[in-house]
Amino acid sequence: MSDANDNDFTQLSPSSSSTPGARTPADASISKEHGLAYWESVSADENGMLGGIPSFAGFANTSKIDLQGSRNFLAKFGIGSKSGLRRCKRILEGGAGVGRITEGLLTELLDEEKGGKVDVVEPIAKFTAKLQGKKGVGRVYVMGLEEWVPEVGEGENKYDLVWTQWCVGHLTDEQLVAYLQRCKSALSEDGLIVIKENTTVLGNDEFDQEDSSVTRGEATFQKVFQKAGLKVVKAEFQKGFPQTRTMKLLPVRMYALKP
């Protein structure tokens, strides 16, 4: 029904297209076709992936701040490129877009001596074209998260890290549960799943008509994680995002999940 439109978008707060107080669940309004059409229409660059946010005065460093916050979060689990931190042999990014996170964060975490690779999932072909053949990039799945099925065997072939950011709003709750369950099945023994997403200000799930996505509240995320059989081992808000007197980004939260 919906497509995990795997792109790194943020929204300014408050969302102008939300439907607070709706009697039906917000995710019931998601349209796969509408979401795909929206992302086909945006530019295949960082500004397009971030919903045009970097083009606003004072918001040019949004991506840099986001990536550093993610590095800091992973370092708390001993994962990173600095001395004393462990690297990953295999990583999955659900939500690759043109590779802002793939190249800006995930490939630097790879254990190159062991042939480390980042597999990516992304339904928009003009975005995945940016990643084909890039250093550190493994399999490129041109499909939505709700269609993706892991191709892993036992042990070394499983993922040490699964990173999904700013895209699960294009999945219904049911689809998100199923996606996380598949991620769990493909996780290495000490593997980690991270969801980094916008959350609503007031806690209610809100539907955005522009790109046909849902911004979830904390209670919904917790319910989804529980249904997927995952525990939140750490959760933090992204800090340091720019704001002006008239604009600021929605709260962005990082969830570290394990079975």
Side-chain angles (χ1 to χ4, degrees):
M1 290 182 57
S2 77
D3 199 299
N5 196 301
D6 312 324
N7 304 289
D8 311 322
F9 68 91
T10 54
Q11 301 172 358
L12 292 177
S13 176
S15 172
S16 60
S17 302
S18 64
T19 55
R23 294 182 180 180
T24 57
D27 67 330
S29 298
I30 292 173
S31 165
K32 174 179 179 176
E33 291 74 19
H34 187 169
L36 284 173
Y38 173 85
W39 289 103
E40 287 283 7
S41 73
V42 306
S43 58
D45 54 24
E46 180 179 294
N47 194 57
M49 299 301 93
L50 291 170
I53 298 302
S55 65
F56 286 88
F59 289 84
N61 291 327
T62 298
S63 181
K64 181 179 179 180
I65 294 167
D66 166 63
L67 293 172
Q68 188 57 53
S70 299
R71 286 189 193 93
N72 295 343
F73 187 67
L74 288 173
K76 295 175 182 179
F77 296 92
I79 300 171
S81 59
K82 293 184 178 180
S83 177
L85 299 177
R86 65 183 175 91
R87 293 176 180 258
C88 303
K89 182 176 180 181
R90 197 167 182 198
I91 298 173
L92 175 75
E93 184 184 1
V98 298
R100 183 184 71 88
I101 299 171
T102 310
E103 297 185 275
L105 171 66
L106 301 180
T107 54
E108 71 183 36
L109 304 176
L110 293 174
D111 188 333
E112 294 183 357
E113 293 182 359
K114 294 183 178 179
K117 296 291 182 182
V118 179
D119 294 343
V120 301
V121 185
E122 165 60 51
I124 306 298
K126 71 175 182 179
F127 297 159
T128 59
K130 300 278 185 177
L131 289 170
Q132 298 285 355
K134 288 289 185 73
K135 182 180 179 181
V137 176
R139 295 170 178 167
V140 178
Y141 298 91
V142 186
M143 61 183 67
L145 298 187
E146 80 284 2
E147 300 170 305
W148 172 78
V149 176
E151 298 179 84
V152 297
E154 294 297 325
E156 293 185 355
N157 290 324
K158 292 197 171 185
Y159 294 110
D160 301 311
L161 174 65
V162 175
W163 189 276
T164 309
Q165 179 172 346
W166 282 333
C167 62
V168 301
H170 291 280
L171 292 177
T172 65
D173 291 355
E174 182 179 349
Q175 289 171 333
L176 180 52
V177 169
Y179 166 69
L180 289 172
Q181 289 173 333
R182 293 195 297 274
C183 290
K184 182 176 66 172
S185 73
L187 208 59
S188 66
E189 185 176 352
D190 195 33
L192 186 70
I193 297 172
V194 176
I195 298 291
K196 186 171 184 178
E197 280 292 338
N198 293 338
T199 56
T200 56
V201 176
L202 299 178
N204 298 320
D205 297 351
E206 299 177 356
F207 178 70
D208 190 322
Q209 296 179 3
E210 183 179 14
D211 63 359
S212 194
S213 69
V214 168
T215 302
R216 293 177 169 88
E218 171 68 10
T220 300
F221 273 119
Q222 293 293 342
K223 184 178 179 180
V224 165
F225 299 151
Q226 184 178 26
K227 285 187 175 180
L230 293 166
K231 297 178 181 178
V232 179
V233 294
K234 195 170 190 62
E236 287 185 3
F237 283 106
Q238 167 73 47
K239 299 177 181 179
F241 276 151
Q243 65 180 72
T244 66
R245 288 192 302 172
T246 58
M247 293 189 299
K248 65 179 179 179
L249 299 177
L250 287 169
V252 175
R253 200 163 194 182
M254 295 173 279
Y255 297 96
L257 310 168
K258 288 198 172 190

